[in-house]
């Protein structure tokens, strides 16, 4: 154990402070592609180039964890208007593109940001910004790596996900559930099988075993301690618990294991040894922010529904109702849930684009119109430089003397 003071420090709290300062600025421009944040701007100064570069990289990514969560819950609500099930496949990404297009959100960076901007432009140009038309005409845009990583985080992170905030729940698709019932016949009652399936999916997500389209390297960048789940012997403790709680024999448990892995999971698409991974089109993500959740009075575990009549964590029958206005939900979950409620009721989600502005980037190569710092300055002033170069909201600078930046002209 390490004794620590209670001082606020680190990138995450600083990112939240900057975001609040940014949001509370008075808008100076109308909302459009040139002014995605209505003219709000911020300059940050650091006492070294490394700090400035680190801030420019990490600040948008820290803010993105919250703003992506807000955009994603809006995408779920958008998708539910045109489809009976909000599946976690390309349809959800199309709804996410719809939200980004409407609110001029430029998530990610590099190639992933350029790809998202291109998808937003295509959505507006080809489908007149109508998600219903786009899905009816079978538009299935392919999400990039950063989107896949962010989605995985929002359904499997134990602290910062939609699920951890008790705002959404991942459930099996109805067609997949019916297929599973046909595979197993009368071995399990439908209600029991549904509860076992939902809990098995939660166990797989706890192991970050989702999306075969995400490479092992990209998965480990997000979750460094990822361990592959094998169909032959994966989640032994879970299946042994099912056997004990239901009283079925080992042969039926083996049939259950094989059917679950076969219906809801597959191997990674490439040559990565990632074990079995849940397929996105077999799962749906439902908003549950206004549902009454259940909390175990003994171990404190929070779940939406009982698992075989008990707590999914400790197996005790000590669940207590936690409605949305319960003190526990407001005190422990409110920090993440209230912004989600706000965007669902009409508040606009905000994302930040930040770039580094230091002397090391001021060199101009032959044949290049602008040096990197000059380009960032123009984008900071909302000067359009092309569809794949969105405006810069925050410049992370070193000292004014070193950079030679004219603050008055910005």
């Amino acid at each position: 154990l390490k004794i620590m003071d209670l001082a606020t420090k680190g990138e995450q709290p600083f990112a939240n402070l900057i975001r609040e300062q940014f949001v509370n600025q008075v808008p100076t421009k109308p909302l459009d592609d040139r002014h995605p944040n209505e003219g709000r701007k911020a300059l940050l100064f650091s006492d070294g180039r490394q700090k400035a570069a680190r801030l420019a990289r990490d600040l948008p990514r820290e803010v993105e964890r919250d703003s992506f969560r807000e955009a994603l819950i809006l995408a779920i609500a958008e998708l539910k208007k045109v489809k009976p099930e909000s599946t976690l496949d390309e349809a959800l990404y199309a709804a996410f593109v719809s939200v980004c297009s409407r609110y001029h959100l430029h998530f990610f960076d590099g190639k992933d940001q350029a790809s998202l901007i291109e998808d937003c432009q295509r959505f507006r140009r080809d489908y007149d910004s109508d998600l219903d038309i786009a899905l009816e005409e079978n538009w299935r845009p392919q999400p990039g790596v950063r989107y896949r990583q962010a989605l995985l985080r929002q359904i499997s992170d134990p602290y910062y996900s939609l699920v951890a905030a008790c705002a959404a729940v991942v459930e099996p698709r109805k067609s997949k559930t019916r297929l599973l019932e046909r595979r197993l016949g009368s071995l399990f009652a439908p209600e029991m099988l549904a509860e076992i399936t939902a809990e098995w999916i939660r166990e797989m997500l706890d192991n970050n075993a989702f999306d075969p389209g995400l490479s092992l390297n990209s998965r480990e960048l997000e979750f460094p301690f990822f361990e592959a789940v094998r169909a032959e012997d994966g989640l032994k403790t879970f299946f042994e618990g099912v056997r004990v709680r239901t009283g079925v024999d080992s042969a039926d448990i083996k049939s259950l294991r094989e059917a679950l892995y076969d219906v809801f999971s597959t191997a990674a698409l490439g040559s990565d040894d990632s074990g079995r991974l849940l397929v996105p089109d077999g799962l749906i993500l439902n908003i549950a922010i206004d549902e009454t959740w259940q909390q175990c009075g003994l171990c404190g575990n929070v779940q939406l529904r009982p698992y075989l009549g008990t707590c999914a964590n400790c197996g005790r029958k000590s669940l207590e109702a936690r409605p949305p206005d319960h003190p526990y939900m407001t005190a422990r979950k409110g920090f993440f849930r209230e912004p989600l409620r706000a965007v669902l009721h009409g508040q606009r989600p905000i994302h930040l684009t930040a770039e580094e502005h230091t002397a090391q980037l001021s060199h101009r190569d032959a044949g290049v119109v602008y040096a990197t710092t000059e380009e960032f300055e123009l984008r900071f002033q909302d000067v359009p430089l092309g569809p794949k170069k969105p405006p810069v909201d925050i410049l992370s600078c070193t000292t004014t003397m070193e950079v030679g930046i004219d603050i008055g002209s910005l």
Side-chain angles (χ1 to χ4, degrees):
L1 294 176
K2 181 181 179 182
I3 297 176
M4 298 180 64
D5 58 48
L6 298 177
T8 301
K9 57 171 72 74
E11 305 291 352
Q12 193 171 23
F14 183 71
N16 279 308
L17 289 172
I18 295 300
R19 185 180 189 275
E20 286 302 309
Q21 182 272 338
F22 187 88
V23 169
N24 287 324
Q25 288 184 32
V26 178
T28 59
K29 303 288 176 61
L31 176 65
D32 54 28
D33 277 339
R34 282 187 59 186
H35 312 102
N37 284 316
E38 302 174 292
R40 297 179 177 91
K41 301 291 178 180
L43 279 172
L44 305 181
F45 292 94
S46 304
D47 58 0
R49 191 254 169 172
Q50 288 184 338
K51 287 185 179 180
R54 189 175 68 248
L55 271 178
R57 180 199 66 190
D58 293 344
L59 184 63
R61 294 190 176 186
E62 289 293 343
V63 173
E64 187 178 285
R65 292 177 183 268
D66 294 325
S67 52
F68 182 88
R69 188 187 305 117
E70 295 169 6
L72 184 62
I73 202 167
L74 283 177
I76 300 169
E78 190 92 352
L79 190 57
K80 290 287 285 185
K81 295 177 183 177
V82 298
K83 280 186 63 179
E85 294 181 318
S86 49
T87 52
L88 287 166
D89 54 8
E90 292 84 359
L92 180 60
Y93 177 65
F96 176 77
V97 170
S98 172
V99 171
C100 292
S101 174
R102 182 189 311 138
Y103 295 107
H104 309 283
L105 301 173
H106 303 125
F107 284 102
F108 318 130
D109 49 37
K111 293 181 179 179
D112 289 281
Q113 186 184 73
S115 177
L116 176 60
I117 292 174
E118 185 177 336
D119 287 334
C120 289
Q121 293 169 346
R122 184 177 291 110
F123 178 67
R124 290 193 291 265
R125 181 182 65 244
D126 296 346
Y127 304 105
D128 197 26
S129 298
D130 192 316
L131 182 62
D132 195 8
I133 294 174
L135 294 179
E136 186 178 344
E137 296 186 6
N138 204 33
W139 185 52
R140 293 294 185 269
Q142 293 301 311
V145 172
R146 288 286 300 281
Y147 171 86
R148 292 178 183 273
Q149 289 176 316
L151 178 60
L152 176 61
R153 185 193 314 125
Q154 288 304 323
I155 61 176
S156 67
D157 191 286
Y159 306 109
Y160 304 111
S161 66
L162 282 170
V163 178
C166 298
V169 61
V170 180
E171 297 180 310
R173 195 173 183 177
K174 290 180 180 178
S175 59
K176 293 287 188 178
T177 300
R178 290 193 295 268
L179 175 57
L180 183 67
E181 290 173 355
R182 290 195 295 271
R183 289 282 185 91
L184 293 172
S186 59
L187 292 181
F188 297 89
E191 296 79 9
M192 179 186 294
L193 183 59
E195 292 184 20
I196 293 172
T197 303
E199 183 60 21
W200 174 78
I201 289 172
R202 190 188 68 81
E203 291 279 346
M204 290 287 284
L205 291 175
D206 284 349
N207 286 273
N208 317 122
F210 169 79
D211 191 1
L214 188 63
S215 70
L216 179 60
N217 181 58
S218 299
R219 192 181 306 276
E220 289 179 336
L221 284 175
E222 198 64 37
F223 296 100
F225 302 105
F226 167 75
E227 293 185 4
V229 177
R230 312 291 176 191
E232 301 78 21
D233 58 359
L235 305 183
K236 282 184 177 180
T237 303
F238 169 76
F239 286 105
E240 176 60 21
V242 173
R243 187 190 67 78
V244 172
R245 294 189 189 196
T246 60
V248 301
D249 58 33
S250 298
D252 291 344
I253 292 297
K254 181 181 178 182
S255 299
L256 173 66
R257 173 198 293 273
E258 292 173 352
L260 283 171
Y261 282 110
D262 189 50
V263 171
F264 289 100
S265 74
T266 186
L269 295 181
S271 58
D272 294 339
D273 185 18
S274 301
R276 301 294 293 189
L277 302 169
L278 293 169
V279 290
D281 64 354
L283 305 175
I284 57 177
L285 187 58
N286 286 327
I287 297 174
I289 195 168
D290 292 322
E291 299 286 339
T292 296
W293 289 66
Q294 306 290 320
Q295 185 181 28
C296 179
L298 296 176
C299 71
N301 180 59
V302 181
Q303 58 197 64
L304 183 58
R305 302 180 186 90
Y307 169 53
L308 301 179
T310 65
C311 170
N313 182 55
C314 68
R316 307 289 183 86
K317 294 183 179 181
S318 54
L319 295 176
E320 302 171 2
R322 295 289 182 263
D325 58 350
H326 190 275
Y328 173 86
M329 301 298 280
T330 55
R332 298 298 298 272
K333 309 291 183 181
F335 179 79
F336 296 108
R337 287 161 62 92
E338 290 311 312
L340 299 176
R341 278 204 182 90
V343 296
L344 287 173
H345 286 88
Q347 183 173 304
R348 177 180 171 270
I350 286 183
H351 182 59
L352 307 180
T353 300
E355 296 292 355
E356 170 191 357
H357 193 296
T358 61
Q360 284 82 354
L361 301 181
S362 60
H363 177 72
R364 181 186 304 163
D365 294 328
V368 177
V369 178
Y370 301 112
T372 303
T373 50
E374 292 173 334
E375 177 188 313
F376 291 161
E377 287 178 21
L378 290 171
R379 289 169 59 191
F380 187 78
Q381 298 174 75
D382 297 327
V383 176
L385 297 180
K388 294 187 178 180
K389 294 183 177 180
V392 172
D393 304 306
I394 295 176
L395 279 180
S396 179
C397 314
T398 48
T399 57
T400 310
M401 297 261 315
E402 176 191 349
V403 176
I405 180 173
D406 183 0
I407 298 178
S409 68
L410 296 177

